[in-house]
Amino acid sequence: MSILEVDNLSVSFKQYTSGLRQHTQEVISNLSMELVSGEILAVVGASGSGKSLLAHAILGILPSNAQTSGKIRFDGEVLTTKLQEQLRGKEIALVPQSVSFLDPLMRVGAQVRTSVRKGKAKEAQKKVFERYHLKEEVENMYPFQLSGGMARRILVSTAMVSGARVIIADEPTPGLDSVVIKEALTNFREFADQGCAVMLISHDIESALQVADKVAVFYGGTVLEIAPAENFEGNGDRLQHHYSKALWRALPQNDFTCEFKN
Amino acid sequence: MRWRFTRNLGIFLFWKAIKMASLLVAISFLSFLLVKQSPIDPIQAYVGADMLNVSPEQRERIEEYWGLNEPIMEQFWSWGSAILSGDLGTSMIYRLPVSEVIGERFINSIALMSTAWVLSGIIGFSMGVLAAMKKDTWIDRIIKWYCYTLASTPTFWMGLLLLIVFAVWLNWFPVGMGVPAGVLAEDVNIMDRIKHLILPALTLSIIGVANIALHTRQKLIEVLSSDYVVFARARGEKGFTLFWRHGLRNIALPAITLQFAAFSELFGGAVLAEQVFSYPGLGQATVEAGLRGDVPLLLGLVLFSAIFVFVGNLIADIIYRVVDPRTRKEQSYAAK
Ligand SMILES: Nc1ncnc2c1ncn2[C@@H]1O[C@H](COP(=O)(O)OP(=O)(O)O)[C@@H](O)[C@H]1O
Ligand SMILES: [Mg+2]
């Protein structure tokens, strides 16, 4: 069942170039996709292609010089600015990329507690810390005191305690060692298995494929194709688009098999 | 873990003390040399108008008595050791021990400076917050314009302006001095003192807000566009809660630090404002001592103001170390 539908979304920026001339630059154009409960949709594309902007557009936290057109629907209802304000943090949660998204002067336990929207905050935080194997004293730490893996688990915790049904994870894995990446991906799989819809933004197709159900190939501000994860196999012949094939074949191990066949 | 933090603070304070001591020695030596090289004739400054009655022989005897003919290092040494034993000498114009003059003046000045300091701090901070929250609106433009204009306004000019408007035209406040003229010291009440304080304090505050307001505005704009505020908004926070939880928390410390580090501007401003209003504080005493060649008082004031500014900076440093968790550096997993 689809929870979130993006229909023909475009995002552009108004910019003042030299001589006070205004000019609009379109960074996302005519993008359509949907998130389904129980599924992970990986959004894969090069950096700078507009993936973060897509996430921010869904949450309604774009910078003030951005303009959007098109429709986003949540549970069939069109997302207006007002509805976005009500839903974010409650029904739609963001898992940001790095520890810089935590307030540097606030204890991390408190930051997780402010994300709790229903029920007792303290209890929810204790429970989620236990679940992610965060020791009790971590509660009183500041972000700068966390290791990479701990920061990751704290960021995931904020989404976990919010009770949101849609989780948008923006490049949650770069710069982490493989054990931590594995752990983070497992967390997202668990979210989906509980019935959430997960959008997993990444430029690393290889790790995304480990958990995703579908993959949206993103290029130059739009989605070229959305393919089931199992289509990424062999030579990539089951993929429709050149760019998707190229992306798949560019992986080191696939290159190796190609050479082997030749 | 706690003791390591305390030990680090101890080491920090120890080095600061050494720095302060060497700074004071350097400043004393430099100002001593400067005064020695200046055209001030200490004997004339001391004797004043009676100088005509002093014969060359008498003059020579005074010079010998004061040790003015000895090598300069020796003079510095005897002045320095007197200071170390707590004797700053006698002010020539007030005929009182320098420490007493400074003490009394400081009480007047501290009333003026702390009023201005608190006012400019609170008003400047609020203006900065308002401008940043309303960035690019007319409120922001007005505040920015005000600050840039004020940053280039001389203190004495602002003082004169207030004096003309509020004391001369409107007659709301006395024209100058610390207490009413012609009233016995015992009869001066606190209201009189406050009335005399308002205009100079206002002058200092009006000028003082610019720095803190612009700094706060800049800092808050930075904070509001930071990753962690974007994430806070993504979690549904907004408006005043967002500002209170993340904005204020992240700009308060830099603002307080800046305000303590601004002791030097405060003192500099007080010198000019006190002069305009004939307010009997340290600033006015400094100008008097300089103009009338009161060497002991001048040197005493130089040392005192150096300590004053240094203490401001020291407090700023300590606040950062004690309050900011990032500089406390305990139990850091990331650092391992
Ligand atoms: N505030 C902004 N103003 C103008 N252009 C922007 C702004 N933010 C992002 N962009 C542009 O949008 C493009 C996509 O950015 P982003 O979504 O961060 O890419 P990704 O997350 O895929 O790496 C970038 O090329 C960037 O130049
Ligand atoms: Mg990005």
Side-chain angles (χ1 to χ4, degrees), chain A residues 13 15 25 27 46-53 63 65:
Chain A
F13 283 103
Q15 272 171 337
Q25 184 203 355
V27 273
S47 76
S49 57
K51 304 183 299 293
S52 293
L53 290 177
N65 62 332

Side-chain angles (χ1 to χ4, degrees), chain B residues 6-18 313-319 321:
Chain B
T6 318
R7 196 191 57 183
N8 284 345
L9 191 68
I11 294 173
F12 166 78
L13 287 178
F14 174 73
W15 283 114
K16 280 284 170 182
I18 289 190
N313 284 308
L314 183 66
I315 295 175
D317 276 352
I318 292 176
I319 289 179
R321 285 183 166 254

